[in-house]
Amino acid sequence: ICERQKLEKQVLETRDDEQRRFSHDLHDGLGQYLTGILFRVLALERDLAADGSPRAESASQIAELVNETIAQAHDLALGIDPVPLRTNGLKCALDDLVKRLCRSRSIECEFECDARVECGDKAAATHLYRIAQEAITNAMKHSGATRIAVRLRKDAGGASLAVQDNGSGFAVDDAGCAGRGLTIMKHRAGLIGAVLEVQSEDAGGTLIQCRFALPQTTVAA
């Protein structure tokens, strides 16, 4: 079992490395080209407006479309490689995730983080991010929740990542559509030596909590 887990972890890490390279190419390549196009269109709009041409409005509309495309490319690149290589990378990534997923939905979302929590390992941080992403997506798709809270906190012996909603809830042994997502989350947790706990009732509300170890330097702080 240990050898299988090591192999699965290596496969996922290789895939994550490939996704990271693709994300950088998308951001630094396509993103830069689109930005160049935007500058040219804006210059064209100014020239047309200076000449009193009615086509200036069309150029302005094209500029808006290009700007929206740049934003979508940025979001796509961020979704592929979400956790930045810097201090508090997981915290920043989760904060952005909550804002992006709840931006266009009538759901109240909040993110709380203990300043002392620092994962320290990008691969583990990415797995934790994906667990939160899956939990939030499940809540939005299946629970009918109007409120979702994401919390990253330090506790005895390590830290915990929790996603809680006020949705319809479900019987954990009969998760239905959400079952595959729970299986993936548990698998990711196992790969980083974490423990995933699910508390849900038919009466309503679900809490998904992942407990994980912190680097020794962080625990001792």
Side-chain angles (χ1 to χ4, degrees):
I1 295 177
C2 291
E3 288 299 321
R4 179 181 175 182
Q5 287 180 332
K6 289 180 181 178
L7 180 59
E8 289 175 343
K9 185 176 181 180
Q10 289 174 355
V11 170
L12 283 175
E13 287 177 350
T14 300
R15 187 195 64 182
D16 288 343
D17 287 341
E18 292 174 350
Q19 289 180 332
R20 193 172 301 117
R21 285 194 295 270
F22 179 74
S23 173
H24 292 166
D25 289 343
L26 182 63
H27 181 271
D28 297 336
L30 180 61
Q32 295 300 322
Y33 279 119
L34 288 171
T35 300
I37 292 172
L38 177 62
F39 287 153
R40 287 178 177 270
V41 173
L42 290 173
L44 176 62
E45 178 192 357
R46 288 194 298 269
D47 291 343
L48 291 172
D51 293 339
S53 172
R55 294 185 177 181
E57 178 61 27
S58 295
S60 176
Q61 293 174 357
I62 293 172
E64 289 180 8
L65 290 173
V66 174
N67 207 25
E68 290 175 4
T69 304
I70 291 173
Q72 290 178 7
H74 172 75
D75 286 347
L76 181 59
L78 189 62
I80 295 172
D81 183 28
V83 182
L85 280 169
R86 65 170 184 261
T87 303
N88 290 326
L90 178 59
K91 174 184 176 181
C92 294
L94 289 173
D95 186 43
D96 183 75
L97 172 68
V98 171
K99 290 176 181 176
R100 284 191 297 112
L101 287 181
C102 301
R103 184 184 302 159
S104 60
R105 299 172 182 264
S106 56
I107 298 178
E108 179 186 349
C109 299
E110 66 175 27
F111 172 61
E112 297 178 3
C113 179
D114 189 329
R116 298 171 297 169
V117 177
E118 183 56 50
C119 186
D121 179 81
K122 182 173 173 62
T126 300
H127 283 301
L128 291 167
Y129 174 92
R130 296 300 184 192
I131 288 171
Q133 184 180 42
E134 184 68 34
I136 295 172
T137 301
N138 275 352
M140 289 181 168
K141 285 184 177 180
H142 307 300
S143 76
T146 59
R147 184 174 182 276
I148 299 174
V150 180
R151 298 182 178 89
L152 183 62
R153 292 176 174 169
K154 187 176 180 182
D155 57 24
S160 66
L161 169 65
V163 178
Q164 187 169 18
D165 68 70
N166 65 346
S168 58
F170 59 90
V172 176
D173 294 334
D174 185 24
C177 294
R180 184 171 180 273
L182 290 174
T183 299
I184 293 172
M185 285 187 277
K186 289 180 179 179
H187 181 69
R188 285 188 176 276
L191 289 175
I192 59 175
V195 177
L196 190 82
E197 301 169 346
V198 182
Q199 300 175 25
S200 187
E201 301 291 341
D202 289 332
T206 298
L207 171 63
I208 295 177
Q209 187 164 244
C210 183
R211 299 184 183 277
F212 59 97
L214 290 172
Q216 290 300 314
T217 53
T218 304
V219 174

